[in-house]
Each structure stands twice: as structure tokens, then as C-alpha cells.
Amino acid sequence: MRILWLVNILMPELAAAVGLPAPYAGGWLTGQLQRLDAERNHIAICCVRPETAALLVREVNGHTHYVLPADADWAENFREILRTERPDVIHIHGTEMESSLALMRLAPPERTVVSIQGLVSVCAAHYLAGLPERFAKAGFFKRLLGKRLDIRPIAVAREDFARRGRSEIALLQSARHVIGRTRWDEACTGQINPARHYHFCNETLRPAFYRAPQWRYAECEPHTVLISQGNYPIKGLHQMLEALPLLLKRYPDLQVCVAGWTRLGLLPQMAGGGWKQRLRQPLETWLFEYDTYLRRQIERLGLEGHVRFLGPLDEAAMCAAYRRANVFVSCSSVENSSNSICEAMLLGLPVVSSYVGGCGDLLADGQEGLFYPFDAPYLLADAIARLFDDPQRAERMGQSARERALLRHDPERNTARLMEIYEQIVSAAEAEKE
């Protein structure tokens, strides 16, 4: 079968071939690509990236990669790619980017399927959850300077979600086929387009998480919490900080480790650097609102020395971070199906999660992990303490979660299901043509 993918990242195999840094997000696509190769499919992959000034076409490991410039005429590029590839099925991974709508408008709708990763149109409504009201607006000068320095204040970032959400809604309204994996994305896409055909399919995670040793309490660092992201408000790190003073009363050695990219606002001010750097630093502190807010909360709540920012981690380093942790926490204000929760479950690391979005479909509360309400940091603290205090219960939960995750993320089963969806779409399109 000839398959055309549109993805939001530069695939790792291509990044290595052209000498660009490999992405840390979207790694599950690599695992799925390897499995589809085993089914003898011809797969071409498109993405839109700012790293290239002109359409880049490169053959890597039997796949044709197309990288479109961010400021290109996408319609012209997509038309040429569709003519060249003549795909039996077009798979658009994610609705978040406007390039997805550009391809949807040109691709034959009867042969096109859209996977739900997250829904920015819905996430925009949750963007400011748990933050002071002052972040809901950004003044004229803050907007102007932010635009000049390419730094988005919180209100502007939320507006960007809402703007992309309008493109997302237009995409889903024209989609005939949608792939999802939670009741949340089924409900949300159904409200936008009741006529779409919803296909259920779980995801295959990054290969390293299937090979890594299972988490064991005896091998972890007690009273260590891992959070996989904290660089923007939806991930809820500000709520985690509110829970920490309650935990520190009982666990003075507590450490919260935050993986992922971190902006300058959370880093110590650089000494020296010339007058331009010294002038720019206070502006960046003012404009990097969320990061500055987190830093000030750390100072106000006396959390210095208890919050560590690990930076971006590759698969192996992320596996090691999970296995060192005592508990994994997802404190997001909204999620569809958090791959970080799923990775923790696959390793057997006990999970505490806010009960939001599609997270309720991932684990059974009290048996495979613990849920708490997003807006109740004191209950987040209680859930973490229960796992800290009862290592045997934590291990039992982790084992139960691992058993569920091994079934849900079984590569063979998920590939078979995805191929079944592709075949159903192609058969229906052929029948419609007749």
C-alpha cells in the first residue's frame, strides 16, 4: 500500500541524515513507522519546518521525506507531492498545525484520515487554568516587544492556540475519517463533526520503552517526583509547586525533576555578557511570563533546591529518569492521551495524574494509579504521599499499570489495527468510485 504521512516533527532518521538535531517529541511515530515497514508498505513522509528555505526531498531508509519551508506556498508543494506519490491513503497526524488543513483541502477526502494528538481548539479554554487573572491580558508594549524578540506572553500564546483552533475546527468539519483513542477525543471530534467516521486505534510507543528494565522501588531514588514537561501552562507545573510545601513538611529530601525544554526565564541570570545581554535580560524576564512566574513561586514557597530542570532528554535518558523516580506525576489542565503517562505505565512506575481529558481511559484509579482533581493541589500532595509511604502498594500499582500498558501499546496489535483502518478506507474509496 502507498501511504503518505503528514507529521509535525522532523523524523529522527531524516534529522540524522541532514545533520539537524533529532526531535524529543513525537518519538512514538518512529516505532509505528518501523512496524508499517514490516508490512511492506511504501511510506512517504511530509513535514513543515522552519529549518529549510526550500522544499527538501530526501530518501532515507526506503522512505521519501518531504520537508516544506514554514513560509512556503504549501498548496503548490502538496499538489506536487500528491501527484508524485499517488497515495492510496493519506494520514494526517495531528490537527494542531495549519499545514494539516492545507493538505486536507487538496487531498481526496475519501482517502484521508486524521489522527487526534491533542485539540488546540479545546486546549485554548484550559490554557490559563490555575493561573492568576492578570495573565489573561497582555498590554500593547508587551505584545510589541514580544513580537520583536519572538517571545510570546501567556495571553498571546493562548490566542495562538485559539487561532490554530479555528483552522483545526475547519479541518475536522471536512474530515470523513478520524483516528482517536479516548472518549475525550471521540466526544470532542463528534461535537465538531457528528458525521465523521471515528476509528479507534491505540498508539505504539518509542522502542526504548519496550526494551528498558521494569521499574523497581529498590532501584529508585525515594521521594523523587518526575514530571515530563513544564514549559507552558497546560502542563500544570504551577499546580505542582503549590503542592510541594505540604509534602516538604513530611519529606524534607523531596526532589521534583522536570524534563523537557526550559526557557531562559527559569535559568539563573547570566553574569556579564556585554551591555546588550544585560539590557535584554530584564526584558526577557518580563516577557517570559510563565517561566518568571514559576521562578518567583519557587522563591516565594521556599522550594529552592527541591526543583530540578533536566532539559530535553532522548529516549535512553528519559527511560533512566523514569526508573530513578519514585512517582511520575501528570499535573496537566487538559490532556488527550498522555504518552508520558503511558510510558511510565509501560515501565511500571507508579502514576499520579489529574483527572482531565482522556486520562481517565488510561488507568483505573486506586488499582493502576491515582487520580486527583486538577484544581486541588492538596489532593495531589496526598496522592503522592500515599505512594511514598507504601512502597509495596506503589509496586503493585506499577505492575498492574504495566500489564495494562503492554496490552494497550502492543506493537503487533496496533499495527494490525492501523492497517485494518487503512484497508477499510481504501476499500470504501474504491467502492465509492465505482
Side-chain angles (χ1 to χ4, degrees), residues 223-271:
H223 307 156
T224 299
V225 172
L226 177 66
I227 296 174
S228 61
Q229 274 184 288
N231 61 311
Y232 67 115
I234 282 175
K235 296 302 176 181
L237 180 54
H238 53 287
Q239 295 293 85
M240 182 73 235
L241 298 183
E242 294 287 346
L244 291 192
L246 295 171
L247 288 164
L248 283 170
K249 292 176 182 178
R250 298 177 58 185
Y251 316 102
D253 60 340
L254 173 71
Q255 289 287 309
V256 174
C257 299
V258 185
W261 179 66
T262 306
R263 295 186 180 94
L264 178 65
L266 278 174
L267 301 178
Q269 293 293 315
M270 295 172 61

Side-chain angles (χ1 to χ4, degrees), residues 88-380:
D88 298 304
V89 63
I90 300 100
H91 189 166
I92 298 174
H93 289 273
T95 57
E96 307 95 314
M97 301 301 175
E98 290 163 314
S99 53
S100 297
L101 176 60
L103 178 55
M104 174 62 81
R105 284 174 169 164
L106 295 169
E110 70 279 4
R111 293 183 177 272
T112 304
V113 63
V114 181
S115 278
I116 305 303
Q117 295 176 172
L119 292 167
V120 289
S121 57
V122 182
C123 290
H126 299 270
Y127 201 89
L128 301 174
L131 288 176
E133 290 185 7
R134 69 177 184 271
F135 292 122
K137 294 182 180 179
F140 172 77
F141 288 109
K142 184 166 280 191
R143 288 174 180 272
L144 179 63
L145 281 171
K147 188 172 183 180
R148 290 290 300 272
L149 296 174
D150 195 26
I151 301 171
R152 293 181 300 172
I154 290 172
V156 175
R158 182 196 173 281
E159 290 164 8
D160 179 63
F161 266 54
R163 176 184 57 78
R164 288 192 286 135
R166 291 189 286 273
S167 169
E168 174 179 84
I169 289 170
L171 165 67
L172 289 171
Q173 286 174 336
S174 61
R176 291 198 192 181
H177 298 278
V178 168
I179 294 175
R181 56 199 186 279
T182 68
R183 287 173 290 176
W184 181 84
D185 64 21
E186 183 176 11
C188 293
T189 58
Q191 289 165 3
I192 294 170
N193 179 5
R196 92 280 182 259
H197 188 98
Y198 185 85
H199 304 268
F200 178 84
C201 184
N202 281 314
E203 287 184 336
T204 298
L205 301 179
R206 294 185 282 182
F209 288 87
Y210 296 91
R211 300 190 298 265
Q214 183 175 347
W215 177 88
R216 299 292 182 194
Y217 177 78
E219 299 169 1
C220 82
E221 296 176 3
H223 307 156
T224 299
V225 172
L226 177 66
I227 296 174
S228 61
Q229 274 184 288
N231 61 311
Y232 67 115
I234 282 175
K235 296 302 176 181
L237 180 54
H238 53 287
Q239 295 293 85
M240 182 73 235
L241 298 183
E242 294 287 346
L244 291 192
L246 295 171
L247 288 164
L248 283 170
K249 292 176 182 178
R250 298 177 58 185
Y251 316 102
D253 60 340
L254 173 71
Q255 289 287 309
V256 174
C257 299
V258 185
W261 179 66
T262 306
R263 295 186 180 94
L264 178 65
L266 278 174
L267 301 178
Q269 293 293 315
M270 295 172 61
W275 68 270
K276 288 185 178 180
Q277 181 63 34
R278 290 195 296 273
L279 178 63
R280 185 183 175 100
Q281 283 173 0
L283 288 176
E284 290 179 331
T285 298
W286 183 50
L287 292 170
F288 280 131
E289 290 182 325
Y290 186 59
D291 311 271
T292 299
Y293 175 67
L294 292 178
R295 188 178 64 190
R296 289 175 177 168
Q297 286 292 86
I298 289 170
E299 295 169 354
R300 181 181 71 83
L301 297 171
L303 306 177
E304 295 94 337
H306 296 283
V307 183
R308 286 191 285 151
F309 295 92
L310 306 180
L313 303 178
D314 61 19
E315 283 183 60
M318 197 67 204
C319 281
Y322 279 114
R323 297 188 69 247
R324 282 194 305 271
N326 194 162
V327 175
F328 175 79
V329 169
S330 174
C331 43
S332 301
S333 61
V334 64
E335 289 279 356
N336 174 22
S337 172
S338 164
N339 279 345
S340 296
I341 291 178
C342 296
E343 288 174 347
M345 293 176 68
L346 194 59
L347 293 175
L349 172 63
V351 171
V352 172
S353 173
S354 51
Y355 191 80
V356 296
C359 292
D361 291 347
L362 299 182
L363 55 87
D365 187 32
Q367 299 172 40
E368 299 162 341
L370 296 174
F371 283 121
Y372 74 97
F374 167 79
D375 61 355
Y378 57 94
L379 290 179
L380 167 57

